[in-house]
Amino acid sequence: MLTLTSDAVQVIRTVTADPQLPPKSGIRIQAGIDGSETLKLSVAPAPEDGDEVVDEQGARVYLEPATAKMLEDMTLDATVDPKGDVAFTLTGPPTEV
């Protein structure tokens, strides 16, 4: 299952804390529509039918089934630059030497 770093948890909670969003809002990750390995990330009011839900400390990530399988052993991290722009990154499991 996808795991979240503490930075990702904090950023997702901040992004979804808007009082105009429903209480179950989260970040949805899905495969790009062009068939490539590009992923699309958006704020979602709730999971869609069939989505896998990752909930860590109130930070919710909704993954469509194919995307959940692709990211099952990965970690989502987030950084915020001095301008306030957010960047999400995915890292794989550590390789054994």
Side-chain angles (χ1 to χ4, degrees):
M1 176 180 281
L2 178 72
T3 58
L4 309 178
T5 66
S6 59
D7 289 337
V9 167
Q10 186 163 353
V11 168
I12 292 167
R13 288 173 58 184
T14 300
V15 168
T16 58
D18 184 334
Q20 295 182 9
L21 292 173
K24 296 282 186 181
S25 295
I27 300 295
R28 186 159 198 274
I29 303 174
Q30 62 188 30
I33 58 174
D34 59 3
S36 70
E37 291 186 6
T38 302
L39 297 174
K40 178 182 172 186
L41 188 139
S42 60
V43 176
E48 293 184 10
D49 287 340
D51 278 357
E52 181 176 304
V53 178
V54 177
D55 188 336
E56 290 190 24
Q57 303 170 18
R60 287 174 292 280
V61 177
Y62 306 129
L63 303 166
E64 70 176 357
T67 304
K69 184 173 178 149
M70 182 173 43
L71 303 180
E72 68 184 351
D73 292 328
M74 300 189 88
T75 300
L76 181 67
D77 193 13
T79 56
V80 180
D81 71 16
K83 295 180 183 178
D85 294 326
V86 175
F88 286 97
T89 56
L90 288 162
T91 56
T95 55
E96 294 183 24
V97 179

